[in-house]
Amino acid sequence: MSDLLFDTSNKHQLALNVLLVFGYLGLNSILNLTNKWALGVYGFSFPLLLTTCHMAFSCCVLLPFMLQEPFRSKHRPTIAKQWKGLVAIGIYMAANVSLNNLSLVLITLSLNQVIRSAIPVCTATLAIFIEKKVPTGEEALGLVVLTLGVMVAVWEGSVSGSVSGLLLCCAGTVCNAAMMSTAGKVMSEKVDVLRLTFYTAPVSCAVLLPLFLVRERQRFQIYYSQNSTAVLMVLLCSSIVALSYNVIHSLMIQKTSAVTTTVLGEVKIVGLLILSALLLGEKKAFTLKMTVGVTLAMVGFCMYSHTKLKNRPQLAKAQAAAKADTSKQDIEEGQPLMPDQEQQLTARVHHT
């Protein structure tokens, strides 16, 4: 993985990376709006079923490709080596969805968003232990300022809800961060985004399906009998968006890092607040508190980005050195000896 997303040395690659960022932010917003419409406005109040269908759809769509080369021959060695990380990602993903949905029953959406704004800090902390990536002091400060700014911007000024709701939301936030950092670790070991999605989707389904059967099955049977056609359309459309987002989300982690991806997600929240004030006539709702929060968030983002750009030359040198070491090791293990090496070896044999 690399944080050299905006390396200007290759204009073509830079253009592709910019499209990747806009695609990630766009699909993230579309998925959030689709889920919010389905679960709230439309009345499809079955979040566990919705996520289970998203995972099952991803697995079914990717299956024909996974049965073909070059993927087919990679399944056995990849699963044998990475099964612990793949299972963990699937469980973290299911736990994140379940715990977050349960918390929304016990606390307000505003408080939920304030807590989940801490995902960049949680991800950076867990990355120290999972990915062995220690952020610099400047990076850590930028993440803290960004997180505080988003918290201030999204907080509506009231705190209501139970302690259990707060704990559930905090646990879901930690699971989200753990999922992203573990995904970054697994993909750093040559697991591509399609295989990552294909391997982890069944694990999430296995965790979510029993929860759906216990909590939502009876209500869904009644709802489905009255809205069968509409239900299928909702599940199909949202599953297509979810698959597209999951793939590009994993690609973002692979191209940058788990922490940088969460930072972009926070910036998206700030951007939506600004756009809603400018384009949707909500300037009156843009209070002093929101202005302070947005300003803090942008300052934190600039601090984090400046540090990444400043450290880019050192990172590039480190990656080049690592690549050279890998190539040297491959030559030593598998390539024929050069003439001078062969002469030295022959001399040693004769001497012996």
Side-chain angles (χ1 to χ4, degrees), residues 338-349:
M338 297 296 289
D340 57 341
Q341 292 177 316
E342 188 173 359
Q343 291 174 2
Q344 293 175 7
L345 182 59
T346 303
R348 291 177 187 173
V349 172

Side-chain angles (χ1 to χ4, degrees), residues 37-38 42 44 220 223-224 226-238:
W37 172 81
Y42 187 74
F44 186 83
F220 177 71
Y223 185 87
Y224 183 76
Q226 302 171 350
N227 306 276
S228 57
T229 304
V231 165
L232 294 177
M233 289 300 298
V234 168
L235 293 177
L236 177 61
C237 293
S238 62

Side-chain angles (χ1 to χ4, degrees), residues 178-191:
M179 175 194 71
M180 298 190 66
S181 186
T182 307
K185 173 66 174 178
V186 170
M187 284 191 292
S188 69
E189 300 182 6
K190 298 182 180 180
V191 177

Side-chain angles (χ1 to χ4, degrees), residues 60 63 155 215 218 267 315:
C60 293
L63 180 60
W155 183 43
R215 296 184 60 86
Q218 293 182 347
V267 173
L315 181 60

Side-chain angles (χ1 to χ4, degrees), residues 322-340:
K323 185 176 181 180
D325 291 340
T326 302
S327 300
K328 182 179 179 181
Q329 183 178 4
D330 292 340
I331 291 175
E332 292 176 348
E333 292 178 354
Q335 297 296 327
L337 295 174
M338 297 296 289
D340 57 341

Side-chain angles (χ1 to χ4, degrees), residues 85-103:
L86 296 171
V87 170
I89 293 170
I91 293 175
Y92 288 144
M93 185 181 300
N96 169 45
V97 173
S98 303
L99 294 171
N100 185 59
N101 289 332
L102 288 173
S103 72

